[in-house]
Amino acid sequence: MSAKENLGDYYADTAYTPTKRQHWEEANPERDTIIGSRLSWSRRTQDNGTNEEYGYNNIAISQNWEDQRVEKSLEGDDIFKGMKVCYDHQSIMPPNYTSMAKYLHITMAFSIGFFCLFLFVLCLIIFGALLFWVLGSEDFSYFYEMSRDGFYYLIPLILPCLMLWKGGRYIERKYPEVFFGMRKGPLWQANRKTGLFTIYEPKNAWEKRLEAPFWEYDAFLQSSPDTQGSATYSLILYHPFQQVRQKLDAQFPPTKMPGELVAAWQFLQRYMDVSQPLPDVPGLEIHRHKDPATAAADERKGRNPSYWRDMDEASVKKIQEEKYRKNIRLR
C-alpha cells in the first residue's frame, strides 16, 4: 500500500517512493549519462545528512524563517517570493544569490584564508629567527635582517587581504542588500508533497526549464580543480532524457570530501521519500508534525518533539562531528 493510500490525499500521485525509482530503472536500463561518478539510489535511505545539516545554528535560523512566514502569511511558492528561501516539510528552495553577492562572498573567503596564511608565515619567520638568536646559533643582526625581510615581502600581501576582509564585513553590516543580494526566482525546487524536482531558468524568474518526477533524475559527483589544483566535488542532478542538469551547490556546497556529498544525496532521497519520515536534522524539527508520514512515524516511536531544541550546543556539536566522521568514509 502506498504512502498516499495510507495517508489520504495529502501527497500527490507523483510523490516519490523507492518503488517508483526501481520500476523506472527497470524500464530504462539504457539512458544518457554525463561525465562524473553516478551515485546509486537507496531502496531505503538511511537517516543521514551533511555536516552543515546538523549545525546547531540551524535551529534558530529555521525558527526565524518560520516566524517570518507566519507573520507574512506565506504558503507554497509565496514563501520563496516573500523570503527568498524555503526549507520546510513541503519543499526546499535554496537562496539564489546575485553574481555580485557570490563575488563578495568568494573574495572575502579567499582574503581571510590568505591573510591567515601570510600572517602565519611571517610569525614563523620571526619566531625562527628569534630562536636562532636566543640559542646562540646566530647574532642579533640575523634576527633583525630576517624580521625586516619578512615584513618587507609579506606586509604588502597581508594588508590587502586584511582590507578586503574588513571591507567585506563593512559591506555586510552597512549594505546587507548588496552582500546578501538575491534574485527574484529560485534556482531549483525539491517538493516532497508533489514529488517533483523543478529546474528554473537562471535569467527568467520562475520560468521552468524542466519539471519532472524526482525519480527520473540521476545523481552525479563531478570534480573540478580549485586554485591549488586539488579536486573539488559538486553534486549534480541530471535528467537523462531531457539532457538537463542542475548543480545543487546552493544547498550542498562544493567540497573536497566526496563523502559529504554522498551524504547530501542520501539526505535528499530521504527528504523526498514519503514512505519514510523527514530526515531528523535540527532545521526541520519544527516542521515534522506538519508532514503526515513523519508525524505518524514520530508518534509510533514516541519521539520527543523538541529533541534537538532541548539539547545544548555541545551535545548537538558532538552528534554533528560523529555524523561527519561517518560521512567522510562514504563512497
Side-chain angles (χ1 to χ4, degrees):
M1 185 175 290
S2 70
K4 181 177 173 58
E5 292 169 329
N6 275 318
L7 300 166
D9 296 325
Y10 179 81
Y11 302 109
D13 291 332
T14 48
Y16 167 68
T17 60
T19 303
K20 292 179 179 178
R21 172 65 188 190
Q22 186 175 2
H23 292 164
W24 186 85
E25 285 184 349
E26 292 171 355
N28 300 280
E30 300 294 331
R31 55 188 185 275
D32 190 44
T33 187
I34 58 175
I35 296 174
S37 300
R38 184 156 65 187
L39 301 178
S40 64
W41 284 72
S42 300
R43 293 294 174 252
R44 187 167 181 82
T45 313
Q46 295 181 355
D47 196 354
N48 201 13
T50 65
N51 185 56
E52 290 191 6
E53 295 292 343
Y54 287 94
Y56 180 78
N57 290 341
N58 291 344
I59 298 173
I61 292 171
S62 186
Q63 186 62 59
N64 178 48
W65 287 343
E66 177 65 2
D67 292 343
Q68 291 184 53
R69 185 198 67 78
V70 173
E71 181 182 348
K72 298 176 181 178
S73 300
L74 301 173
E75 297 290 345
D77 288 349
D78 287 338
I79 295 175
F80 187 93
K81 292 175 181 177
M83 297 166 49
K84 300 299 186 289
V85 65
C86 183
Y87 183 83
D88 60 18
H89 62 294
Q90 290 189 348
S91 68
I92 295 176
M93 286 186 278
N96 185 5
Y97 291 104
T98 62
S99 298
M100 176 61 74
K102 291 178 183 177
Y103 174 78
L104 287 171
H105 293 170
I106 293 171
T107 300
M108 197 166 76
F110 273 101
S111 65
I112 294 172
F114 281 114
F115 171 82
C116 294
L117 174 63
F118 294 142
L119 186 61
F120 173 76
V121 173
L122 178 59
C123 292
L124 194 63
I125 291 172
I126 295 174
F127 178 77
L130 178 63
L131 194 62
F132 277 114
W133 176 36
V134 171
L135 295 177
S137 301
E138 300 289 347
D139 56 17
F140 174 76
S141 62
Y142 174 80
F143 168 72
Y144 172 76
E145 290 173 0
M146 289 294 292
S147 300
R148 181 196 61 193
D149 290 347
F151 276 97
Y152 179 80
Y153 288 108
L154 291 173
I155 287 299
L157 299 175
I158 292 173
L159 288 180
C161 291
L162 180 62
M163 292 174 64
L164 288 171
W165 175 10
K166 295 303 179 182
R169 291 298 184 202
Y170 176 81
I171 295 173
E172 178 182 5
R173 186 174 63 257
K174 294 293 185 179
Y175 304 100
E177 69 279 3
V178 175
F179 191 84
F180 297 106
M182 299 181 189
R183 302 185 188 278
K184 295 180 180 179
L187 289 165
W188 52 266
Q189 176 180 184
N191 193 300
R192 174 178 169 90
K193 187 174 181 179
T194 65
L196 300 176
F197 187 87
T198 306
I199 300 172
Y200 296 93
E201 288 289 351
K203 296 182 179 180
N204 296 308
W206 292 99
E207 182 178 333
K208 295 176 182 178
R209 185 181 181 194
L210 174 64
E211 183 173 69
F214 177 63
W215 66 82
E216 291 185 0
Y217 291 87
D218 284 326
F220 288 85
L221 279 188
Q222 282 193 342
S223 64
S224 59
D226 62 11
T227 54
Q228 298 177 334
S230 301
T232 300
Y233 297 89
S234 290
L235 177 61
I236 293 175
L237 286 194
Y238 177 69
H239 197 286
F241 297 113
Q242 299 298 325
Q243 298 183 334
V244 175
R245 72 185 70 189
Q246 177 62 55
K247 278 189 176 184
L248 306 187
D249 292 0
Q251 182 68 28
F252 309 111
T255 176
K256 298 182 187 300
M257 300 290 185
E260 272 285 273
L261 293 181
V262 175
W265 173 229
Q266 293 178 352
F267 171 87
L268 190 57
Q269 288 181 73
R270 177 63 173 257
Y271 176 86
M272 294 294 286
D273 183 3
V274 299
S275 69
Q276 296 192 80
L278 287 164
D280 199 346
V281 295
L284 288 173
E285 182 170 70
I286 62 172
H287 302 292
R288 294 182 67 85
H289 67 283
K290 306 173 190 174
D291 180 76
T294 306
D298 287 353
E299 184 177 0
R300 288 195 303 271
K301 294 178 181 178
R303 182 190 181 277
N304 176 10
S306 300
Y307 171 76
W308 293 105
R309 288 166 287 175
D310 289 346
M311 286 191 197
D312 56 31
E313 185 171 359
S315 299
V316 177
K317 181 69 174 178
K318 182 180 178 181
I319 295 174
Q320 184 183 34
E321 290 175 351
E322 290 172 354
K323 290 286 186 178
Y324 178 74
R325 287 196 295 270
K326 178 181 177 182
N327 289 349
I328 61 178
R329 296 193 296 269
L330 294 175
R331 291 293 182 269

